[in-house]
Amino acid sequence: MNATRTPYLTRRRPRAFVEWRQMHAWGKLPDRESNVPGYLLRAAREEARLTQTQLGESLGITQQAVARAERWGSNPTIDLMNRWARACGRRLEIRLEGMPSP
């Protein structure tokens, strides 16, 4: 009998932030979900104990813009992410690493 592999299943809906945050803390997220920019920004804001309004005032943007940037599918600029990190008492680090040879 020929063994067949289970097809790779792709998540069709975004994970809720609460679920993502817990799985991220446990190190149980798939690679493609571990660095969701919007959720990373939201986590930084919450850890800094800032409201969306407070952060928006610090960044010179509206609360609605902060909420939009914190969504699963957001695509914030590096400049916004850098300013956001500083406003939350963090440092932004972006790295490109070599992949191991096959």
Side-chain angles (χ1 to χ4, degrees), residues 3-68:
T4 59
R5 297 186 75 177
T6 304
Y8 178 73
L9 301 176
T10 302
R11 184 171 188 85
R12 296 195 186 277
R13 291 183 306 171
R15 212 175 278 283
F17 176 74
V18 174
E19 177 188 6
W20 177 90
R21 182 178 54 205
Q22 192 61 57
M23 290 183 72
H24 190 266
W26 292 339
K28 298 291 183 183
L29 285 170
D31 286 341
R32 67 190 175 282
E33 292 183 36
S34 63
N35 293 316
V36 176
Y39 280 7
L40 291 170
L41 293 175
R42 179 175 173 181
R45 178 185 59 79
E46 288 185 353
E47 288 172 16
R49 298 181 185 260
L50 294 170
T51 65
Q52 290 180 339
T53 302
Q54 290 168 328
L55 182 62
E57 288 171 356
S58 175
L59 297 175
I61 60 177
T62 64
Q63 176 273 324
Q64 291 85 354
V66 171
R68 215 173 14 255

Side-chain angles (χ1 to χ4, degrees), residues 51-97:
T51 65
Q52 290 180 339
T53 302
Q54 290 168 328
L55 182 62
E57 288 171 356
S58 175
L59 297 175
I61 60 177
T62 64
Q63 176 273 324
Q64 291 85 354
V66 171
R68 215 173 14 255
E70 291 182 345
R71 291 184 188 149
W72 175 279
S74 71
N75 190 17
T77 64
I78 291 176
D79 177 59
L80 176 64
M81 292 173 67
N82 192 37
R83 292 185 300 125
W84 190 298
R86 278 191 263 128
C88 293
R90 300 267 184 123
R91 173 176 68 87
L92 178 66
E93 181 177 308
I94 298 174
R95 295 182 298 186
L96 294 173
E97 296 180 355

